[in-house]
Amino acid sequence: MNQLMTPQQVGAEYGVTVQELAEWRRRNIGPDYYVLGTRVIRYTPEHVERWFRDPANSRWHDFPAEAFTEGLGENDADWLSVEVHRPLTWWRATPEQLGARVADPDHGAFPRWESYDQDWKAIGRTIQDVGDVLASGVSPAGPGPDGSIRIRVHDPGLSDLELKIVRSWFGPGEAVTMDPWDSGWSDGRHRTWHAAAASDAGVLLPIRGNILGFANAADIPLLGDNWSEQFRAGLQRLKQQTWVDQMDPVNRQFQESLVLAAAGRIPPVVPSAMAPARGSLPAYVEASFPSVLDGPSPQNAPYSAPCDSPVTRSYRGVSEGTGHDR
């Protein structure tokens, strides 16, 4: 074992303060440590390095995490691969912040969702881990043709159905979807309720925004000549949601994408750090479209938007959901 590290050494190497480390210990967060005497705390370098490099812990610090995007060798079975559709359209919040929007959608009636008996606490923890990788700024594989990126997180031992639930949470057709200012869900109210009810109060639930799903070249023509005004209205409504944690990197990226759309620019599909290395990509694309079109977007059938949404149909990505969770 290498020489033990003091809290001051850990702070200097990993960019945190001694006070933060003390608060983590009080809240049972952070790398393992030893109490060697009265007010004598020591850390092992290997445990510290592993903890700071784990994307699941990235929400607590700014030290670069590791994405583990390609072959993971003999321990590959310990990891899950999850595709996240259009990562810059996501935001996240705790159940407490979401308030009444997290409620039992069946109200004691016969459940419509067939997986009530699954390990929803493990599902919630995995969903939060995926969000933490998004927040960490690492460079996962992608984007794919539909704007998805592939990331890997620790497998807590999910069953096939539990893994399906996790993947549907982030997929293009059945993603948990709602804007921060909406009063109800476009999709995912059952999954959100079960994950929140089974998890710790502070679990961070990633949610795909609705309006930003239209900030692409295929869908913007459907919004008319003044399409950017709808995004400006969404941006103003976002600013009124004072409960949204703007220190969260996922929420910052969500707002930055909305700012671009409000300015008449198409936001990037993924953060610049995730963009393909080959060639040069602009940070955004100037957009100007006619208001009269010959027909609907070939990738999206019409949908009904929530009553709170400024757009005319609910964003569901490139494929319609299977219908098992609305």
Side-chain angles (χ1 to χ4, degrees):
M1 182 172 67
N2 294 329
Q3 183 177 356
L4 297 177
M5 301 175 69
T6 66
Q8 290 80 4
Q9 290 171 325
V10 173
E13 185 164 343
Y14 293 92
V16 297
T17 66
V18 173
Q19 289 76 19
E20 285 177 304
L21 291 171
E23 177 66 12
W24 290 353
R25 292 193 300 270
R26 188 184 69 81
R27 298 172 60 186
N28 198 27
I29 300 169
D32 295 340
Y33 62 92
Y34 296 91
V35 180
L36 302 181
T38 304
R39 304 183 68 177
V40 178
I41 304 295
R42 294 293 183 269
Y43 294 87
T44 57
E46 54 268 31
H47 288 165
V48 172
E49 177 73 9
R50 188 181 306 120
W51 190 87
F52 275 93
R53 290 292 188 182
D54 188 344
N57 300 322
S58 62
R59 67 185 182 278
W60 303 109
H61 59 84
D62 295 325
F63 192 79
E66 293 179 348
F68 304 104
T69 56
E70 298 302 333
L72 300 174
E74 60 184 19
N75 296 321
D76 190 59
D78 297 332
W79 296 81
L80 298 174
S81 175
V82 180
E83 291 192 356
V84 180
H85 187 242
R86 294 184 180 175
L88 292 183
T89 64
W90 291 78
W91 58 283
R92 59 182 184 169
T94 65
E96 181 180 6
Q97 291 170 327
L98 293 171
R101 288 171 288 191
V102 179
D104 185 353
D106 296 314
H107 300 292
F110 186 79
R112 201 155 51 89
W113 175 253
E114 72 272 18
S115 58
Y116 270 52
D117 295 330
Q118 305 307 309
D119 187 350
W120 282 97
K121 186 169 186 177
I123 292 171
R125 184 167 60 249
T126 305
I127 288 166
Q128 177 171 262
D129 287 349
V130 174
D132 287 342
V133 175
L134 290 177
S136 69
V138 295
S139 301
D146 66 347
S148 295
I149 59 170
R150 182 181 297 113
I151 63 178
R152 298 196 181 195
V153 294
H154 285 288
D155 182 2
L158 299 181
S159 68
D160 289 344
L161 181 53
E162 289 161 356
L163 178 57
K164 178 182 177 182
I165 293 170
V166 169
R167 287 176 171 164
S168 74
W169 191 292
F170 296 97
E174 299 175 282
V176 171
T177 305
M178 178 178 69
D179 280 321
W181 53 86
D182 285 339
S183 61
W185 301 87
S186 298
D187 203 346
R189 58 197 178 113
H190 288 86
R191 286 169 288 170
T192 306
W193 159 248
H194 288 296
S199 302
D200 297 333
V203 64
L204 281 167
L205 300 175
I207 302 165
R208 188 177 66 178
N210 191 25
I211 188 174
L212 273 177
F214 293 90
N216 62 80
D219 287 316
I220 280 177
L222 301 177
L223 303 181
D225 272 340
N226 298 321
W227 62 270
S228 62
E229 291 184 4
Q230 301 192 42
F231 295 101
R232 284 197 291 273
L235 180 60
Q236 290 303 313
R237 299 182 78 177
L238 176 62
K239 291 178 178 179
Q240 295 169 2
Q241 313 307 309
T242 56
W243 54 268
V244 176
D245 181 8
Q246 290 301 333
M247 297 300 293
D248 188 314
V250 177
N251 295 341
R252 285 204 306 267
Q253 291 175 350
F254 178 83
Q255 178 167 318
E256 288 166 3
S257 294
L258 197 52
V259 167
L260 285 175
R265 303 180 177 105
I266 299 179
V269 175
V270 297
S272 57
M274 298 181 185
R278 188 175 301 171
S280 59
L281 297 177
Y284 55 81
V285 179
E286 296 285 351
S288 177
F289 297 98
S291 59
V292 180
L293 303 175
D294 294 332
S297 167
Q299 291 185 337
N300 292 277
Y303 292 99
S304 297
C307 59
D308 293 342
S309 176
V311 298
T312 55
R313 59 193 178 92
S314 176
Y315 166 56
R316 300 296 299 279
V318 297
S319 62
E320 186 171 359
T322 61
H324 72 266
D325 181 62
R326 293 289 178 267

PDB file of all heavy atoms in Angstrom, residues 101 180-181 236-246:
ATOM      1  N   ARG A 101     -45.562  16.597  -9.185  1.00  0.00           N
ATOM      2  CA  ARG A 101     -45.473  15.887 -10.467  1.00  0.00           C
ATOM      3  C   ARG A 101     -45.002  14.452 -10.291  1.00  0.00           C
ATOM      4  O   ARG A 101     -45.157  13.633 -11.195  1.00  0.00           O
ATOM      5  CB  ARG A 101     -44.551  16.650 -11.417  1.00  0.00           C
ATOM      6  CG  ARG A 101     -45.173  17.934 -11.939  1.00  0.00           C
ATOM      7  CD  ARG A 101     -44.185  18.792 -12.694  1.00  0.00           C
ATOM      8  NE  ARG A 101     -43.213  19.404 -11.805  1.00  0.00           N
ATOM      9  CZ  ARG A 101     -42.370  20.364 -12.176  1.00  0.00           C
ATOM     10  NH1 ARG A 101     -42.407  20.806 -13.416  1.00  0.00           N
ATOM     11  NH2 ARG A 101     -41.527  20.883 -11.318  1.00  0.00           N
ATOM     12  N   PRO A 180     -39.061  21.556 -17.538  1.00  0.00           N
ATOM     13  CA  PRO A 180     -39.100  21.951 -16.121  1.00  0.00           C
ATOM     14  C   PRO A 180     -40.325  22.777 -15.750  1.00  0.00           C
ATOM     15  O   PRO A 180     -40.747  22.752 -14.596  1.00  0.00           O
ATOM     16  CB  PRO A 180     -37.808  22.760 -15.949  1.00  0.00           C
ATOM     17  CG  PRO A 180     -36.896  22.274 -17.016  1.00  0.00           C
ATOM     18  CD  PRO A 180     -37.783  21.940 -18.180  1.00  0.00           C
ATOM     19  N   TRP A 181     -40.899  23.495 -16.704  1.00  0.00           N
ATOM     20  CA  TRP A 181     -42.025  24.363 -16.402  1.00  0.00           C
ATOM     21  C   TRP A 181     -43.373  23.676 -16.645  1.00  0.00           C
ATOM     22  O   TRP A 181     -44.423  24.256 -16.364  1.00  0.00           O
ATOM     23  CB  TRP A 181     -41.950  25.634 -17.244  1.00  0.00           C
ATOM     24  CG  TRP A 181     -41.813  25.368 -18.718  1.00  0.00           C
ATOM     25  CD1 TRP A 181     -42.816  25.136 -19.613  1.00  0.00           C
ATOM     26  CD2 TRP A 181     -40.591  25.287 -19.466  1.00  0.00           C
ATOM     27  NE1 TRP A 181     -42.310  24.915 -20.874  1.00  0.00           N
ATOM     28  CE2 TRP A 181     -40.935  25.013 -20.803  1.00  0.00           C
ATOM     29  CE3 TRP A 181     -39.244  25.423 -19.118  1.00  0.00           C
ATOM     30  CZ2 TRP A 181     -39.979  24.865 -21.810  1.00  0.00           C
ATOM     31  CZ3 TRP A 181     -38.294  25.279 -20.119  1.00  0.00           C
ATOM     32  CH2 TRP A 181     -38.658  25.006 -21.444  1.00  0.00           C
ATOM     33  N   GLN A 236     -37.638  31.910 -20.968  1.00  0.00           N
ATOM     34  CA  GLN A 236     -38.166  32.763 -19.908  1.00  0.00           C
ATOM     35  C   GLN A 236     -38.855  31.940 -18.825  1.00  0.00           C
ATOM     36  O   GLN A 236     -38.728  32.227 -17.622  1.00  0.00           O
ATOM     37  CB  GLN A 236     -39.144  33.799 -20.496  1.00  0.00           C
ATOM     38  CG  GLN A 236     -38.474  34.857 -21.347  1.00  0.00           C
ATOM     39  CD  GLN A 236     -37.387  35.611 -20.571  1.00  0.00           C
ATOM     40  OE1 GLN A 236     -37.601  36.042 -19.433  1.00  0.00           O
ATOM     41  NE2 GLN A 236     -36.221  35.760 -21.185  1.00  0.00           N
ATOM     42  N   ARG A 237     -39.562  30.920 -19.236  1.00  0.00           N
ATOM     43  CA  ARG A 237     -40.241  30.064 -18.250  1.00  0.00           C
ATOM     44  C   ARG A 237     -39.221  29.275 -17.441  1.00  0.00           C
ATOM     45  O   ARG A 237     -39.421  29.044 -16.244  1.00  0.00           O
ATOM     46  CB  ARG A 237     -41.224  29.140 -18.959  1.00  0.00           C
ATOM     47  CG  ARG A 237     -42.313  29.875 -19.716  1.00  0.00           C
ATOM     48  CD  ARG A 237     -43.306  28.934 -20.360  1.00  0.00           C
ATOM     49  NE  ARG A 237     -44.251  28.409 -19.381  1.00  0.00           N
ATOM     50  CZ  ARG A 237     -45.264  27.604 -19.702  1.00  0.00           C
ATOM     51  NH1 ARG A 237     -45.437  27.227 -20.961  1.00  0.00           N
ATOM     52  NH2 ARG A 237     -46.081  27.162 -18.764  1.00  0.00           N
ATOM     53  N   LEU A 238     -38.132  28.869 -18.092  1.00  0.00           N
ATOM     54  CA  LEU A 238     -37.087  28.155 -17.356  1.00  0.00           C
ATOM     55  C   LEU A 238     -36.488  29.050 -16.274  1.00  0.00           C
ATOM     56  O   LEU A 238     -36.245  28.608 -15.150  1.00  0.00           O
ATOM     57  CB  LEU A 238     -35.997  27.673 -18.319  1.00  0.00           C
ATOM     58  CG  LEU A 238     -34.788  26.998 -17.665  1.00  0.00           C
ATOM     59  CD1 LEU A 238     -35.210  25.732 -16.920  1.00  0.00           C
ATOM     60  CD2 LEU A 238     -33.725  26.668 -18.713  1.00  0.00           C
ATOM     61  N   LYS A 239     -36.238  30.302 -16.621  1.00  0.00           N
ATOM     62  CA  LYS A 239     -35.644  31.231 -15.650  1.00  0.00           C
ATOM     63  C   LYS A 239     -36.559  31.475 -14.454  1.00  0.00           C
ATOM     64  O   LYS A 239     -36.091  31.856 -13.374  1.00  0.00           O
ATOM     65  CB  LYS A 239     -35.302  32.549 -16.342  1.00  0.00           C
ATOM     66  CG  LYS A 239     -34.160  32.436 -17.346  1.00  0.00           C
ATOM     67  CD  LYS A 239     -33.891  33.764 -18.034  1.00  0.00           C
ATOM     68  CE  LYS A 239     -32.722  33.653 -19.003  1.00  0.00           C
ATOM     69  NZ  LYS A 239     -32.459  34.936 -19.705  1.00  0.00           N
ATOM     70  N   GLN A 240     -37.852  31.259 -14.640  1.00  0.00           N
ATOM     71  CA  GLN A 240     -38.790  31.439 -13.540  1.00  0.00           C
ATOM     72  C   GLN A 240     -38.804  30.232 -12.592  1.00  0.00           C
ATOM     73  O   GLN A 240     -39.350  30.333 -11.488  1.00  0.00           O
ATOM     74  CB  GLN A 240     -40.199  31.672 -14.090  1.00  0.00           C
ATOM     75  CG  GLN A 240     -40.340  32.967 -14.873  1.00  0.00           C
ATOM     76  CD  GLN A 240     -41.660  33.044 -15.619  1.00  0.00           C
ATOM     77  OE1 GLN A 240     -42.507  32.152 -15.540  1.00  0.00           O
ATOM     78  NE2 GLN A 240     -41.845  34.128 -16.381  1.00  0.00           N
ATOM     79  N   GLN A 241     -38.209  29.130 -13.016  1.00  0.00           N
ATOM     80  CA  GLN A 241     -38.178  27.926 -12.170  1.00  0.00           C
ATOM     81  C   GLN A 241     -36.952  28.008 -11.261  1.00  0.00           C
ATOM     82  O   GLN A 241     -35.911  27.413 -11.528  1.00  0.00           O
ATOM     83  CB  GLN A 241     -38.143  26.668 -13.041  1.00  0.00           C
ATOM     84  CG  GLN A 241     -39.149  26.629 -14.178  1.00  0.00           C
ATOM     85  CD  GLN A 241     -40.573  26.888 -13.727  1.00  0.00           C
ATOM     86  OE1 GLN A 241     -41.055  26.270 -12.790  1.00  0.00           O
ATOM     87  NE2 GLN A 241     -41.251  27.809 -14.403  1.00  0.00           N
ATOM     88  N   THR A 242     -37.080  28.748 -10.181  1.00  0.00           N
ATOM     89  CA  THR A 242     -35.927  28.992  -9.320  1.00  0.00           C
ATOM     90  C   THR A 242     -35.454  27.742  -8.602  1.00  0.00           C
ATOM     91  O   THR A 242     -34.356  27.728  -8.056  1.00  0.00           O
ATOM     92  CB  THR A 242     -36.272  30.079  -8.289  1.00  0.00           C
ATOM     93  OG1 THR A 242     -37.442  29.675  -7.554  1.00  0.00           O
ATOM     94  CG2 THR A 242     -36.560  31.401  -8.995  1.00  0.00           C
ATOM     95  N   TRP A 243     -36.262  26.703  -8.586  1.00  0.00           N
ATOM     96  CA  TRP A 243     -35.871  25.453  -7.928  1.00  0.00           C
ATOM     97  C   TRP A 243     -34.893  24.640  -8.770  1.00  0.00           C
ATOM     98  O   TRP A 243     -34.256  23.714  -8.261  1.00  0.00           O
ATOM     99  CB  TRP A 243     -37.113  24.614  -7.618  1.00  0.00           C
ATOM    100  CG  TRP A 243     -37.980  24.364  -8.824  1.00  0.00           C
ATOM    101  CD1 TRP A 243     -39.037  25.119  -9.245  1.00  0.00           C
ATOM    102  CD2 TRP A 243     -37.850  23.300  -9.770  1.00  0.00           C
ATOM    103  NE1 TRP A 243     -39.575  24.598 -10.402  1.00  0.00           N
ATOM    104  CE2 TRP A 243     -38.855  23.478 -10.744  1.00  0.00           C
ATOM    105  CE3 TRP A 243     -36.981  22.221  -9.891  1.00  0.00           C
ATOM    106  CZ2 TRP A 243     -39.024  22.600 -11.810  1.00  0.00           C
ATOM    107  CZ3 TRP A 243     -37.139  21.344 -10.952  1.00  0.00           C
ATOM    108  CH2 TRP A 243     -38.157  21.545 -11.898  1.00  0.00           C
ATOM    109  N   VAL A 244     -34.777  24.935 -10.052  1.00  0.00           N
ATOM    110  CA  VAL A 244     -33.849  24.193 -10.924  1.00  0.00           C
ATOM    111  C   VAL A 244     -32.418  24.536 -10.519  1.00  0.00           C
ATOM    112  O   VAL A 244     -32.047  25.712 -10.454  1.00  0.00           O
ATOM    113  CB  VAL A 244     -34.087  24.529 -12.407  1.00  0.00           C
ATOM    114  CG1 VAL A 244     -33.057  23.833 -13.290  1.00  0.00           C
ATOM    115  CG2 VAL A 244     -35.495  24.107 -12.822  1.00  0.00           C
ATOM    116  N   ASP A 245     -31.605  23.530 -10.280  1.00  0.00           N
ATOM    117  CA  ASP A 245     -30.226  23.729  -9.836  1.00  0.00           C
ATOM    118  C   ASP A 245     -29.341  24.065 -11.037  1.00  0.00           C
ATOM    119  O   ASP A 245     -28.935  23.175 -11.781  1.00  0.00           O
ATOM    120  CB  ASP A 245     -29.714  22.463  -9.138  1.00  0.00           C
ATOM    121  CG  ASP A 245     -28.284  22.616  -8.628  1.00  0.00           C
ATOM    122  OD1 ASP A 245     -27.754  23.748  -8.690  1.00  0.00           O
ATOM    123  OD2 ASP A 245     -27.711  21.603  -8.180  1.00  0.00           O
ATOM    124  N   GLN A 246     -29.044  25.349 -11.218  1.00  0.00           N
ATOM    125  CA  GLN A 246     -28.232  25.767 -12.351  1.00  0.00           C
ATOM    126  C   GLN A 246     -26.743  25.508 -12.138  1.00  0.00           C
ATOM    127  O   GLN A 246     -25.941  25.734 -13.041  1.00  0.00           O
ATOM    128  CB  GLN A 246     -28.473  27.247 -12.652  1.00  0.00           C
ATOM    129  CG  GLN A 246     -29.850  27.536 -13.217  1.00  0.00           C
ATOM    130  CD  GLN A 246     -30.126  26.784 -14.518  1.00  0.00           C
ATOM    131  OE1 GLN A 246     -29.217  26.443 -15.263  1.00  0.00           O
ATOM    132  NE2 GLN A 246     -31.403  26.500 -14.777  1.00  0.00           N
TER     133      GLN A 246
END
